[in-house]
Amino acid sequence: MDFSADSSYLQVSTGSYKRQVYEVPSGKQLVDQAVIDRITWATWTSVLGDEVIGIWSRHAEKADVNCACVSHSGINLVTGDDFGMVKLFDFPCPEKFVRTCFFSLLQQVLLIYGHCFSRRHVMEIFPYLNL
């Protein structure tokens, strides 16, 4: 779940792999893609949307990528997947099948760190990356 920079909108990813955007505080769903495209997000933790198409490999299934988090600087995106991989992308990454830096972790570590969505934890895993 992410809020827009001005707290006027909220985005969520559903269990049916749909990105939905709502107005705050009315709760009305926003369906106008042109308006959605102009929203600046304060955070980004979604694995869905045009901004993150590049995180999906050619043979990935929808459930393969579990988590994503954009750095506070807004230029990097880190993802975690079912295969114990942590991948680092430029953000946004709207091109399909983009090359990435990737790192293998024990799955237990990935689940703990991946669900924290914290820049601090990513830096603990990769202290040489300046996120």
Side-chain angles (χ1 to χ4, degrees):
M1 175 171 44
D2 301 294
F3 281 93
S4 63
D6 64 1
S7 299
S8 296
Y9 302 98
L10 170 76
Q11 79 171 349
V12 296
S13 300
T14 70
S16 59
Y17 301 101
K18 294 187 191 310
R19 175 183 174 203
Q20 295 179 338
V21 177
Y22 296 92
E23 294 177 351
V24 175
S26 72
K28 180 182 173 192
Q29 186 174 359
L30 188 63
V31 293
D32 185 347
Q33 191 61 47
V35 174
I36 293 170
D37 290 342
R38 290 192 304 268
I39 298 172
T40 299
W41 296 99
T43 60
W44 188 284
T45 57
S46 179
V47 297
L48 305 173
D50 292 340
E51 297 85 345
V52 294
I53 288 174
I55 69 173
W56 299 95
S57 66
R58 290 186 196 282
H59 306 291
E61 295 181 14
K62 288 182 180 178
D64 286 348
V65 180
N66 300 308
C67 55
C69 186
V70 171
S71 63
H72 291 284
S73 63
I75 60 172
N76 298 107
L77 172 74
V78 64
T79 65
D81 66 28
D82 282 348
F83 309 105
M85 301 299 289
V86 173
K87 297 179 182 177
L88 180 67
F89 298 89
D90 290 332
F91 184 80
C93 57
E95 303 292 325
K96 287 185 178 182
F97 317 125
V98 68
R99 288 182 178 234
T100 181
C101 296
F102 61 92
F103 308 90
S104 180
L105 296 176
L106 298 173
Q107 189 142 1
Q108 295 85 353
V109 174
L110 175 62
L111 292 175
I112 292 167
Y113 283 94
H115 286 93
C116 288
F117 299 118
S118 172
R119 177 179 174 216
R120 184 173 145 253
H121 292 294
V122 172
M123 288 176 62
E124 286 177 3
I125 295 171
F126 309 114
Y128 52 88
L129 296 176
N130 186 16
L131 296 179

